[in-house]
Amino acid sequence: MADIEIARRGAVLELTINRPAKKNALTNAMYRALNVALHEAERDLDIAAVLVAGAGGVFCAGNDIGDFVAAVSAGGEMAGADFIRKIAAFPKPLVAAVDGLAVGVGCTLLLHCDLIYATPESRFSLPFIDLGLLPEAGSSLLLPRRVGMARASAWLLAGESFSAAEALAAGLVNDIVAQDSLLATAREKAAKLAAKPRTALMAARKFLRGDKEEILTRIDAELEAFRNALASPQAQAALAAFLNKSK
Ligand code: COA
């Protein structure tokens, strides 16, 4: 089984993060697979929408910490940065099915999705500051816009995790759906979007999502700050503590 499963269902491309033993944490290889899939979905005229889900009762625990520390200390590019730019600029509707943990980029990627369904068991967390890191994926711009400054500050600065009910009340997710009907609901919503007049849908979505250049500029500024923060003693200590715990 691949860590990123890719399946077509009619005009919807389904991307399933499938590494539950590691809480679906995203490695560079997984980011690359997602980048290729999004690139192809963008060009493929038969694909009208993309559905993102996580396997095994977890959505995504964010960056694979060991993998991205190794990549950055080897001087390599973070494939996650390309993924963030790609999903932010993706022109077709994105639907997310969230069950279980949505941490770090596993939560911020949702800000680029159009319809989000979550189970009552879902829990969201943005632990960047506690790791000595910075918010990414445009979240410093998009989260306060979406949920207001008070909640964005509690979630991004104070690092308070939040439930599906809080995410629904804040307008981050569209609905709470029982685990056994999550995928069916998300598939139905994605298929309905995919069946709509394509040009009108994509144009309306573009207006709704706001100024793409502004978002991409913020993403790049955040990534630069993220990269600098990563070299700080605080971040190095926090990430080493996580890695040592997992040994
Ligand atoms: N990177 C790498 N490995 C991760 C991971 C991550 N982001 N999240 C979880 N894992 C791994 C754990 O190391 C563990 O591996 P092991 O079984 O080989 O020891 C496995 O997934 C299960 O995780 P565990 O911590 O035992 O599960 P839990 O239910 O107690 O806690 C989390 C789950 C997600 C709360 C916890 O793993 C965590 O805090 N992870 C880091 C999340 C994070 O900070 N992400 C943002 C990074 S920028």
Side-chain angles (χ1 to χ4, degrees), residues 21-23 25 61 63-65 101 103 127 131 242 246:
K22 296 287 182 183
K23 305 286 175 191
N63 275 309
D64 183 297
I65 292 178
L101 291 166
V103 185
L131 291 169
F242 178 80
S246 323

Side-chain angles (χ1 to χ4, degrees), residues 67-142:
D67 197 64
F68 100 104
V69 166
V72 170
S73 50
E77 171 64 6
M78 295 185 290
D82 291 338
F83 168 71
I84 287 167
R85 291 189 196 103
K86 196 129 207 111
I87 197 167
F90 191 70
K92 297 179 182 178
L94 287 152
V95 176
V98 179
D99 182 29
L101 291 166
V103 185
V105 73
C107 185
T108 56
L109 75 81
L110 298 173
L111 294 168
H112 303 284
C113 295
D114 305 290
L115 298 175
I116 304 168
Y117 300 93
T119 63
E121 291 78 13
S122 301
R123 185 116 205 128
F124 303 80
S125 159
L126 299 160
F128 302 108
I129 305 302
D130 288 334
L131 291 169
L133 297 173
L134 271 90
E136 34 68 323
S139 56
S140 66
L141 178 71
L142 299 174

Side-chain angles (χ1 to χ4, degrees), residues 165-204:
E166 289 171 284
L168 180 67
L172 178 64
V173 306
N174 288 76
D175 208 354
I176 299 181
V177 180
Q179 249 166 359
D180 58 4
S181 45
L182 176 70
L183 208 49
T185 301
R187 280 175 173 159
E188 184 196 330
K189 301 287 182 180
K192 279 195 173 146
L193 278 181
K196 295 200 180 289
R198 183 105 32 113
T199 310
L201 177 66
M202 283 173 58

